[in-house]
Structure formats: C-alpha cells, structure tokens
C-alpha cells in the first residue's frame, strides 16, 4: 500500500521505571493509610479547628500582611532598581547601601528592631530641620504592631525586589530603548510602553516566588511582636489545648491553599506577558490571519523559557513559528 | 553669524540644507571617533555613507538624531541646531523634551530592526503616532494600514515580529519610522543582518522612498544600491570624510588610495 502508512513498532519497555513508580505509589499509600489512623495527628481536632473563627481571621491577617508588604516592596523595589541604574553616583550608592543593610541582616532581627522603634524614637516629627515641625506624632500611638510588621517585611523584601527588577530591566535589549528614543518617545513613555512590558517576562517568575516566600515569612512577625497571624495564632491555640500537632496541620493547610492560589495567578500573569515572544498565534481571536491558510496550529505555551532578545537570524518564513 | 543659520524655509535667505555638519567631532573618553566631519545633504537627496568597520559611520548617524552628543562642531537639521539652543553666542543643552521633539522629525532604521517584540506589526507602527503625536486611534490605524501596504505587508498587520522574516521585520521598521512623517530618514546598514535573498525586498522599499523624494542618509555596503539610487557617495575612514562625489564616479574612479583599497575589498 502507501509507503506513508503509520509506523507500527514494538514500544521500547522501561521495566525499572515502572518498578520505581510502583514503589513510590506503594510508599505514599502506606504513609497515608498510617497517617489516617495515627492518633497523634488527631484528625478530629484538625477538622474542628480548620474553620475556627480565630484561625480564619488569622488567615485573613496573614494574607493582608503578605499583600500589603509585597505591594510596598514592589514599588520600593522599582524605585531602588532605577536608582541603582542611575548615572548619578550618589543616588547609586544610596541604593547600594540600602541593599547592603537590608539583605545583609536577618529579617527576624529587622522585625525585632521595628518592634523597638517606639523606644528608639518616641516621637516622629515631620518638617524642615531646625524649625517647628508641621506634624508630630507619638510613635507608639501611630504605629501598631500590624503596621510595624508590614513596614519590616516590606523594607526587607524591597531589597530583594530591587535586584529582581534590575535584572529584568537589564535583560531588555539596548536597541529597544534606542528605537523608542529615536521615535521621539520620552524616558517615562519608553519605560512604560517598551522596557517594562518586556522586563515583566523576566520579573514575574521570581516575583511569584517572592510572594509565596513572603506568605511564609509572615510567620516571623511574632518578633515584632504581632501575634494574630496564622502561625502564631495556631501556636497560641495549641498552648491552650496542649495539642500542637493538629494545629500545625491546620496552619499548613491554609498556607498551602494560599500558595496554590498564588501559583495559579502567577501562571496567568506569565502567559499575559509572553505576548509576542511565546509561540502563540499572532492574532488574538484565534482565527488564522489572512494570507496564510496553511500555517500549522501551534500547541502548548512555554512562556518563561524563551530567550529575552531576538535571535540573529529570525525565522525566514511566517509558517515557522512554534519552534522558539 | 553665517548663512546656515537662516530660519526655516521662509523667504529670508537661502533654504537651509536638510543636514549640515561642520567640523563634527565625537570622542568616547580618549578615543576620538569622529574628527571634524563636514557634510551637506540637500532636500530630497539620497546620500550613501560607506567606509570600513569602526570608521564612525554609525556614530555619525546617531549624532544626527542626538542619540550621541557631539563633542565639537555644529550639526543642524533643516536649519535647526541639534542638541543645543544658541542664545547670546552661548550654547545651552536642550531639555530631554526638546531633544525628543527634534527626534520626531528624523526617522531611523537600525541594522537589527529593533521592533518592539511585544507588539504586533500594526501596533509597532501606531505606537509613536499615538503616544508621541497624540493622534487619534482611528487616524493612526488608517495611516498604519496604508504604510504597511506601502511596504508590502498589508496581510501581516497582526503578526508579532518573532513571526516575521528578517526582511519583513525591517520593512515594518521602515513603516514605523515613516509613521512619524519624518523629513529625514537615517538607515544604519539596514540590510546587513539579512539573508542575501531578503536584501532585495528591503532595498526596493528604500528605492520607492527615494523616488518619492525622501531625504535619506544610508550607511550601506550595497554598492549597487549606491550606484543606482544615491545622489552622492561619501567615503569615511578613521573618523574623517576621505572622498565624496557622484556615486558612479567615485566607484569607477576613486581619487584616494584609501578609497581604492576599500573598494577593491568590497566590490
Ligand atoms: N558608546 C560607545 N562607547 C565607546 N566607544 C564607542 C561607542 N560607540 C562606538 N564606539 C567606538 O567608536 C568607533 C566607531 O564605531 P561606529 O559604530 O561608529 O563604527 P561603524 O563605522 O559604524 O562600524 P561598523 O561598520 O562596524 O558598524 C569604534 O571604534 C567603536 O568602538
Ligand atoms: Mg555601524
């Protein structure tokens, strides 16, 4: 018959792979069965506390700590990154010094420091030096432990975000800025329309990791001391019940839930900023563009693994997409 | 002071040339890359700039739209001093805004295209008219469509650069520069990053532009293009203009030893 009939070959077997898989599955099953019946885990207690009013409130607090401190950290990180790329040596060194201090000391220690802020500075004056301040407040009254925890987490995180943002900005080809400048675009326009959208592809994956890591770092705010976050709260409850293990499970379940949601969000953000460099179809609506009826449909997207700059020899036919 | 300062194309004095360079020098640190370039490009003229690698051709082009700052000499486009404002015999550096305004009227095409990869061909062309000129969307779209049609890419408007061939990308880049309705176009080796079979399509677009009367400065190694399209040919070496004249004459009968040596290699 036709020489193009599908190949029907005997599949190559991988017996050891299969054995390994069976061992893994068996091990996991045994662990789960054992855990289900083990009294120390105290599953009834887990069920009882997982939606306890105090725990859900603590979960909300942890989420707030994460979101607020990340927002501040990202804004500050962008400013620090731009400062580090500034031609002005003073501006540059200030940013460098900030990074040196906040990356060079443990976040736990920093949080303790923030907790002692009201002892170091009893009142804070805003105004011009050597003149009557416009505004003055008692540190104690103005900044509660929740606010101090956010400040502490945010300022620490900003140092890491600055490096991530800087790497992202530097990953964009120099020619992009030149092309935009040559078109008469100003610095802000160039950043906003050309550089930042491209840098996002590099910035988002590590930022996603930072958010997830921040979610867990919030368990250190007890250093301030703020005690209404998920971990500290569940530990406090177990101090009353003398039954710590189920409370650890309860906290872990909530952390896992939030982490999973964040991972889904990160996935969609990455897809959004892969525009034009991933191997998606060139049009938005999914219909083949005019003139190229024979372009093969592309499967799968790999938004984060493509090279940041264009290749020397771009594909010479529009039908070759999907290979980068 | 001198005739080149005549204002605009109005009745007073002679019409200024599109580009006038007088003693233009440029150093990077102690490395003097341009050493007193003097050059004039008239309206509607096509000037081809050739020379060995490192002779400062790109640097000179980049000085014309102030991507580089000239260290000495004067450079003006359409009678307007580039990068500086002159008052009471003193030069004042332009603010970024003013420099950006000067660049709007000067189109530039790069060796490596430098299209915005996160925008479609259409969006690339529309970006500057929308954001810089503040044109309304419908008009910008109509103009972008016309321009893409003019460079032969009407059916590629929704393609991202990564999905276009090199020749197509360069043609989009030309359309993008034209969208600002420049009075001067600068081309820095627009075909040297292209596969040989794609060079022709880009040169054809440039020929069309020249025929429409666009003033162009083209850095190129395509001597055929220079002979056919250019009104004058300038040979540069080590930061100085060595020889300049009618392309056919310079190519057939170079006067200087350095020019002869260069052409014997590239032709
Ligand atoms: N930003 C810069 N900083 C320092 N030196 C530079 C810079 N840009 C260019 N140069 C130097 O200036 C000289 C001329 O460079 P230019 O790119 O203008 O040459 P070219 O004639 O365009 O060469 P090619 O044909 O290779 O493009 C080179 O020696 C280069 O190293
Ligand atoms: Mg060059």
């Amino acid at each position: 018959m036709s020489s193009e009939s599908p190949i029907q070959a005997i599949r190559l077997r991988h017996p050891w792979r299969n054995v390994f898989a069976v061992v893994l599955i068996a091990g996991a099953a045994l662990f789960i069965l054992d855990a289900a019946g083990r009294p120390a885990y105290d599953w009834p207690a887990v069920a009882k506390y997982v939606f306890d009013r105090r725990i859900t409130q603590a979960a909300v607090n942890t989420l707030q700590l994460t979101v607020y401190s990340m927002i501040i950290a990202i804004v500050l990180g962008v400013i620090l990154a731009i400062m580090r790329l500034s031609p002005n040596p003073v501006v540059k060194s200030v940013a460098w010094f900030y990074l040196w201090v906040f990356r060079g000391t443990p976040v736990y220690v920093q949080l303790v420091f923030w907790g002692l802020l009201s002892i170091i500075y009893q009142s804070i004056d805003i105004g011009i030096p050597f003149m009557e301040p416009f505004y003055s407040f008692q540190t104690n009254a103005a900044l509660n432990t929740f606010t101090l925890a956010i400040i502490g987490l945010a300022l620490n995180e900003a140092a890491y975000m600055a490096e991530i943002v800087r790497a992202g900005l530097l990953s964009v080809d120099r020619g992009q800025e030149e092309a935009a400048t040559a078109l008469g675009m100003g610095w802000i326009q160039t950043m906003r329309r050309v550089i930042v959208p491209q840098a996002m592809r590099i910035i988002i994956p590590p930022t996603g990791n930072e958010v997830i890591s921040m979610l867990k770092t919030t368990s250190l705010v007890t250093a301030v001391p703020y005690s209404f976050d998920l971990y500290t709260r569940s530990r406090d409850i177990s101090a009353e019940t003398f039954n710590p293990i189920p409370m650890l499970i309860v906290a872990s379940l909530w952390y896992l839930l939030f982490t999973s949601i964040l991972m889904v969000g990160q996935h969609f953000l990455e897809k959004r900023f892969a525009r034009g460099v991933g191997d998606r179809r060139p049009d938005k609506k999914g219909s083949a563009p005019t003139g190229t009826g024979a372009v093969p449909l592309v499967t799968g997207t790999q938004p984060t693994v493509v090279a940041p700059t264009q290749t020397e020899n771009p594909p010479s036919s529009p039908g070759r997409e999907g290979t980068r | 002071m001198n005739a080149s300062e005549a204002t605009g194309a109005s009745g007073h004095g002679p019409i200024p040339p599109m580009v006038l360079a007088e003693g233009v020098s440029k150093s990077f640190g102690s490395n003097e890359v341009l050493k007193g370039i003097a050059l004039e490009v008239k309206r509607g003229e096509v000037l081809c700039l050739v020379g060995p690698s490192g002779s400062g051709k790109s640097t000179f082009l980049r000085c014309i739209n102030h991507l580089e700052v000239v260290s000495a000499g004067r450079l003006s486009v359409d009678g307007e001093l580039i990068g500086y404002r002159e008052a009471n015999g003193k030069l004042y550096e332009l603010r970024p805004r003013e420099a950006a305004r000067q660049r709007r009227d000067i189109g530039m095409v790069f060796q490596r295209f430098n299209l915005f990869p996160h925008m479609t061909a259409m969006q690339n062309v529309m970006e500057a008219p929308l954001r810089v000129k503040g044109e309304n969307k419908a008009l910008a779209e109509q103009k972008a469509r016309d321009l893409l049609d003019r460079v032969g890419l009407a059916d590629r408007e929704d393609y991202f650069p990564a999905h276009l061939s090199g020749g197509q990308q360069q043609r989009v880049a030309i359309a993008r520069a034209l969208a600002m309705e420049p009075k001067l176009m600068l081309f820095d080796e627009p075909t040297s990053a292209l596969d040989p079979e794609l060079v022709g399509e880009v040169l054809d677009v440039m020929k069309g532009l020249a025929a429409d009367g666009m003033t162009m400065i083209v850095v190129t190694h395509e001597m055929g293009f220079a002979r056919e399209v250019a009104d004058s040919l300038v040979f540069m070496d080590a930061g100085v203009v060595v020889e300049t004249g009618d392309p056919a004459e310079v190519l057939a009968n170079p006067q200087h030893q350095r020019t002869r040596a260069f052409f014997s290699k590239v032709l």
Side-chain angles (χ1 to χ4, degrees):
Chain A
M1 285 239 316
S2 157
S3 60
E4 286 166 13
S5 63
I7 294 174
Q8 292 187 333
I10 309 297
R11 304 269 313 270
L12 186 59
R13 311 246 167 229
H14 299 281
W16 286 109
R17 252 189 233 173
N18 296 342
V19 169
F20 187 52
V22 168
V23 169
L24 280 179
I25 292 172
L30 280 174
F31 179 80
I32 290 172
L33 277 176
D34 171 75
R38 203 167 270 271
Y41 286 122
D42 199 353
W43 295 106
V46 171
K48 179 176 162 209
Y49 281 106
V50 73
F51 293 118
D52 185 284
R53 187 85 186 80
R54 290 169 291 177
I55 289 292
T56 50
Q57 187 54 50
V60 170
N61 292 341
T62 285
L63 210 52
Q64 283 184 325
L65 284 171
T66 308
V67 171
Y68 296 155
S69 50
M70 266 327 280
I71 290 173
I72 299 172
I74 289 171
V75 172
L76 207 56
V78 169
I79 296 171
L80 285 166
I82 290 172
M83 284 171 73
R84 281 207 72 187
L85 296 174
S86 157
N88 182 332
V90 174
V91 172
K92 221 189 206 152
S93 341
V94 167
W96 182 87
F97 183 77
Y98 182 98
L99 262 65
W100 181 65
V101 170
F102 281 88
R103 288 203 307 177
T105 53
V107 64
Y108 192 89
V109 173
Q110 290 173 27
L111 287 169
V112 174
F113 252 110
W114 286 106
L116 298 174
L117 186 72
S118 64
I119 293 172
I120 308 171
Y121 305 98
Q122 269 109 15
S123 74
I124 293 176
D125 300 340
I126 296 173
I128 300 166
F130 312 116
M131 286 175 65
E132 194 62 26
F134 303 139
Y135 187 68
S136 175
F137 56 81
Q138 294 301 306
T139 312
N140 244 336
L143 301 170
N144 59 26
T145 51
F146 181 73
T147 317
L148 286 171
I150 287 175
I151 294 175
L153 292 172
L155 294 198
N156 176 259
E157 181 58 30
Y160 294 92
M161 282 310 302
E163 287 299 273
I164 291 172
V165 172
R166 188 171 77 109
L169 294 178
L170 288 176
S171 76
V172 179
D173 188 60
R174 283 267 305 142
Q176 293 291 309
E177 187 185 341
E178 271 180 14
T181 308
L183 284 168
M185 292 169 81
W187 184 82
I188 292 177
Q189 270 178 334
T190 302
M191 285 308 259
R192 210 171 65 77
R193 299 286 309 170
V194 177
I195 310 291
V196 170
Q198 294 180 59
M200 281 309 231
R201 238 164 24 83
I202 307 297
I203 293 174
I204 286 173
T207 304
N209 293 341
E210 292 298 309
V211 178
I212 289 169
S213 151
M214 176 62 88
L215 181 76
K216 296 173 295 184
T217 308
T218 56
S219 61
L220 299 182
V221 293
T222 177
V224 174
Y226 175 78
S227 55
F228 296 97
D229 70 292
L230 195 45
Y231 172 67
T232 316
R233 202 80 185 101
S234 48
R235 210 190 46 195
D236 288 351
I237 293 174
S238 60
E240 293 166 16
T241 61
F242 300 110
N243 192 6
I245 294 167
M247 291 319 294
L248 283 177
I249 296 175
V250 164
S252 301
L253 286 175
W254 279 101
Y255 283 121
L256 272 173
L257 172 73
F258 291 147
T259 311
S260 313
I261 295 171
L262 290 172
M263 283 167 76
V264 173
Q266 179 178 353
H267 171 76
F268 282 104
L269 266 181
E270 281 178 17
K271 248 175 111 160
R272 166 72 185 75
F273 283 99
R275 239 168 94 78
V277 275
D279 30 10
R280 297 189 321 161
R281 300 288 311 126
D283 55 336
K284 307 134 241 172
K285 283 136 206 138
S287 61
T290 51
T292 50
V295 179
L297 274 173
V298 177
T299 52
T301 52
Q302 295 167 312
T304 58
V305 293
V306 284
T309 49
Q310 297 184 343
T311 48
E312 280 290 341
N313 284 316
S316 57
S317 99
R320 277 218 263 139
E321 62 249 40
T323 53
R324 283 160 45 96
Chain B
M1 277 174 70
N2 59 42
S4 67
E5 284 184 287
T7 46
S10 50
H12 330 275
I15 297 173
M18 189 54 88
V19 179
L20 183 65
E22 298 166 304
V24 169
S25 300
K26 170 71 188 171
S27 308
F28 293 105
S30 61
N31 179 15
E32 195 175 18
V33 174
L34 298 179
K35 301 166 186 160
I37 302 278
L39 211 159
E40 187 177 322
V41 186
K42 298 189 192 65
R43 274 151 213 287
E45 191 182 354
V46 177
L47 181 140
C48 276
L49 194 54
V50 301
S53 182
S55 55
K57 308 179 298 288
S58 300
T59 306
F60 181 61
L61 277 199
R62 294 160 54 80
C63 285
I64 296 177
N65 67 357
H66 202 46
L67 284 178
E68 301 287 357
V69 179
V70 172
S71 339
R74 303 171 59 96
L75 191 51
S76 54
V77 171
D78 203 11
E80 190 181 359
L81 197 60
I82 291 294
Y84 299 94
R85 186 165 25 84
E86 190 166 37
N88 310 324
K90 285 207 184 99
L91 291 182
Y92 297 87
E93 269 182 41
L94 289 187
R95 291 169 202 289
R97 279 186 93 86
E98 297 167 311
R101 185 189 51 71
Q102 290 188 329
R103 290 190 190 105
R104 286 183 201 184
D105 298 335
I106 304 171
M108 185 150 191
V109 175
F110 302 87
Q111 181 174 358
R112 305 217 27 237
F113 329 137
N114 296 351
L115 287 178
F116 305 135
H118 57 302
M119 299 181 191
T120 63
M122 185 79 166
Q123 290 166 334
N124 264 283
V125 178
M126 281 164 53
E127 181 66 12
L130 283 179
R131 310 283 156 184
V132 178
K133 275 193 181 166
E135 262 175 24
N136 81 48
K137 186 119 191 268
L139 177 67
E141 228 170 76
Q142 187 50 51
K143 279 186 9 186
R145 214 161 258 141
D146 290 346
L147 280 168
L148 285 175
D149 189 36
R150 183 165 166 194
V151 299
L153 291 172
D155 59 344
R156 292 290 189 274
E157 59 181 52
D158 286 333
Y159 277 59
F160 285 103
H163 300 135
L164 295 170
S165 73
Q168 291 170 333
Q169 287 189 56
Q170 193 59 298
R171 286 185 282 153
V172 173
I174 294 174
R176 177 177 70 174
L178 290 175
M180 290 300 284
E181 294 167 337
K183 50 192 179 190
L184 168 68
M185 284 283 283
L186 309 173
F187 294 84
D188 192 358
E189 307 200 30
T191 58
S192 11
L194 298 178
D195 292 340
E197 76 268 23
L198 301 176
V199 168
E201 63 190 54
V202 173
L203 291 182
D204 285 344
V205 169
M206 291 166 62
K207 283 174 197 167
L209 265 183
D212 291 345
M214 175 63 75
T215 313
M216 302 168 29
I217 301 182
V218 185
V219 173
T220 185
H221 294 299
E222 297 291 330
M223 294 306 157
F225 175 85
R227 190 181 286 116
E228 187 183 340
V229 181
D231 300 298
S232 59
L233 184 71
V234 170
F235 174 72
M236 250 176 88
D237 190 14
V240 296
V241 171
V242 175
E243 189 159 349
T244 168
D246 178 74
E249 264 168 42
V250 176
L251 281 167
N253 191 14
Q255 298 299 304
H256 290 260
Q257 175 52 39
R258 278 193 277 179
T259 322
R260 273 197 289 274
F262 177 72
F263 286 149
S264 72
K265 274 183 227 146
V266 298
L267 290 179

